[in-house]
Amino acid sequence: MVFTTPVAWLQLVRNKIRSLVAIAGIGFIVILMFMQLGFQDALYSSATQVHRNLQGDLFLVSSQYKSLTAIQSYFRSRLYQALGFDGVESVSPMYLGFAKFKNPENGEKYSIYVIGFEPGRPVMNIPEVEKNIDKIKVPDVVLFDRNSRPEFGPVAQKFTQEQTEQILEIFPFDSLRGYRVRVGGLFSLGPSFGVDGNLMVSDTTFLRIFPNSRPSEMIDVGVISLKSGANPERVLKELQANLPDDVKIFTYQEFIDFEKKYWATRTPIGFILNLMLTMASVVGIVIVYQILYSNISTQLIAYATLKAIGYANNYFLHLVFQQALILSLLGYIPGFLISLFLYNFAMDATKLPIMMSLHNAVIVLISAVLMCMTSGALAINKLRSTDPADIF
């Protein structure tokens, strides 16, 4: 080992240009992996941010429910039926819908997500919403998401600077007539791949914004809070056994996992991200294989000489694997550093939670090493089949 380690390194530095190209190629693949994982994490994190901020133990939705942005309503009476079961302390209805938000600066209209609930029974565990809960009890007063994308205009900036209620106009998708609301406060939630911005409103204001498309007896999500000491799994099974088949019930974690699965398996963006991650790995294997194969080809006479004087194939296998490991580590370091910069840039541009995590850093490192080792295993086949007599 004392002899083989410097040989692997010396062979790489002997042709600096080729080794730098290999490191650059691996670094590029590492960046691609980091970006794909970053976007994938941002997809799941942003798609479930409403779920993660919900204040409840069980969640009642329509049996046709696909995701929180694919609106599927059901009768509110189903939610109130749950009050008759042991362990249930309270229930709270949620109303969800998309409307067109008119930018107060340029008049352009953009889709915005409207979340409605009864102010007396808040369902969102967001301190800013709880702080301003009394404001939305007043009809036509809304809370605006300060992390919404820039196309909605400087609503949050103006409210912060002037502390005055701005008049905004909301248009239901089935109407050309706008509805005027006032901004009474701000909160922080952020956009997702399916949502550009958010408004929090009372149930009364929500039904005023959507007078034609939303009957008052229809809701989208029912939040069920259990009594202290109640077993969520037991209550869940009891509700599933007794409520009609037109609704289904989730625990907190099941609700989040269902949403993640939808975006991962039933949307184009989830499929594309998984495909691109696989393609990046394949391209990386090909790049490193070409470099290692080229190194072996140029050193074939030297290898044949060593083979002729008795060195076994395992020696060459260790040598190539050491080169692969060195290349993977040297390519990973700049790829990681550049990815940190790109994460910050992408997060500022999209407002999505694209952040580096220890989990992703370890996953990409292991993937880069395995990728290079796989390339080394493929490249070493040329040496295994080489007969020193044929070389000389």
Side-chain angles (χ1 to χ4, degrees):
M1 292 299 294
V2 174
F3 174 70
T4 58
T5 300
V7 168
W9 172 254
L10 290 172
Q11 284 191 340
L12 289 175
V13 299
R14 185 171 184 271
N15 193 326
K16 296 182 176 62
I17 300 299
R18 182 184 297 155
S19 297
L20 287 175
V21 169
I23 292 169
I26 296 168
F28 179 70
I29 298 303
V30 166
I31 292 171
L32 285 182
M33 287 182 174
F34 269 124
M35 296 311 295
Q36 297 301 327
L37 287 174
F39 284 130
Q40 193 173 66
D41 286 352
L43 169 65
Y44 299 148
S45 179
S46 61
T48 59
Q49 59 191 351
V50 173
H51 304 66
R52 287 182 282 106
N53 283 289
L54 286 174
Q55 198 166 262
D57 301 296
L58 300 176
F59 303 92
L60 193 69
V61 296
S62 166
S63 60
Q64 303 301 312
Y65 177 87
K66 300 296 185 295
S67 81
L68 214 58
T69 54
I71 311 302
Q72 293 290 344
S73 304
Y74 65 95
F75 287 102
R76 184 170 51 187
S77 57
R78 292 283 182 260
L79 178 61
Y80 291 124
Q81 284 180 271
L83 278 172
F85 291 84
D86 290 337
V88 176
E89 183 174 25
S90 64
V91 296
S92 305
M94 280 185 70
Y95 303 83
L96 306 170
F98 283 98
K100 291 180 289 185
F101 180 97
K102 184 177 180 180
N103 186 315
E105 295 287 311
N106 57 27
E108 295 287 335
K109 299 184 184 73
Y110 300 94
S111 177
I112 196 166
Y113 198 50
V114 185
I115 303 171
F117 56 88
E118 296 179 3
R121 290 182 283 186
V123 296
M124 301 300 295
N125 188 22
I126 301 177
E128 292 169 304
V129 174
E130 295 176 1
K131 177 183 175 182
N132 292 299
I133 202 71
D134 288 337
K135 293 183 179 179
I136 62 172
K137 289 179 180 178
V138 180
D140 305 336
V141 174
V142 305
L143 303 180
F144 182 82
D145 183 2
R146 60 160 54 88
N147 291 333
S148 296
R149 292 199 172 114
E151 50 261 38
F152 296 104
V155 177
Q157 295 90 324
K158 280 191 174 182
F159 183 86
T160 302
Q161 293 169 2
E162 301 172 8
Q163 292 295 315
T164 57
E165 294 186 350
Q166 301 173 64
I167 305 297
L168 304 175
E169 204 166 2
I170 310 294
F171 292 77
F173 276 93
D174 60 354
S175 175
L176 296 176
R177 185 176 179 180
Y179 186 78
R180 292 181 178 274
V181 296
R182 293 173 291 139
V183 177
L186 304 173
F187 67 97
S188 301
L189 190 61
S192 69
F193 279 75
V195 173
D196 292 331
N198 302 279
L199 289 178
M200 293 273 188
V201 303
S202 68
D203 55 335
T204 303
T205 302
F206 185 95
L207 295 173
R208 290 186 178 189
I209 294 174
F210 302 95
N212 302 319
S213 60
R214 179 55 59 89
S216 60
E217 67 272 13
M218 303 296 289
I219 64 173
D220 298 292
V221 177
V223 180
I224 301 173
S225 297
L226 302 182
K227 296 176 181 177
S228 178
N231 187 325
E233 293 295 335
R234 183 189 62 79
V235 178
L236 173 67
K237 290 179 180 178
E238 192 173 349
L239 289 172
Q240 289 174 333
N242 291 280
L243 289 179
D245 293 337
D246 57 356
V247 292
K248 54 186 172 185
I249 308 101
F250 295 114
T251 62
Y252 177 81
Q253 191 58 48
E254 287 173 346
F255 201 23
I256 292 174
D257 292 342
F258 189 90
E259 190 80 15
K260 285 183 178 179
K261 184 178 179 182
Y262 171 81
W263 284 96
T265 62
R266 304 186 64 177
T267 62
I269 185 65
F271 173 79
I272 289 171
L273 289 175
N274 288 325
L275 178 63
M276 293 300 293
L277 190 59
T278 303
M279 289 180 62
S281 300
V282 172
V283 171
I285 289 173
V286 172
I287 290 176
V288 180
Y289 169 77
Q290 292 292 341
I291 298 298
L292 294 176
Y293 185 88
S294 179
N295 279 342
I296 291 172
S297 298
T298 57
Q299 300 290 333
L300 199 56
I301 294 177
Y303 287 146
T305 302
L306 292 174
K307 201 170 184 181
I309 63 176
Y311 281 89
N313 282 330
N314 283 341
Y315 168 81
F316 301 106
L317 184 65
H318 292 157
L319 188 67
V320 173
F321 275 176
Q322 286 167 8
Q323 290 184 2
L325 180 61
I326 292 170
L327 287 174
S328 65
L329 295 177
L330 291 179
Y332 176 83
I333 294 171
F336 174 80
L337 296 175
I338 294 173
S339 296
L340 288 176
F341 168 78
L342 292 176
Y343 273 21
N344 290 330
F345 175 77
M347 187 162 59
D348 290 339
T350 64
K351 304 297 182 183
L352 292 170
I354 306 171
M355 295 175 286
M356 183 63 69
S357 67
L358 178 61
H359 175 266
N360 284 355
V362 173
I363 288 294
V364 173
L365 176 59
I366 293 173
S367 299
V369 171
L370 290 177
M371 177 181 70
C372 292
M373 291 299 183
T374 302
S375 301
L378 295 173
I380 199 66
N381 286 329
K382 182 174 180 66
L383 273 177
R384 284 201 185 101
S385 59
T386 298
D387 186 344
D390 295 336
I391 300 296
F392 297 106

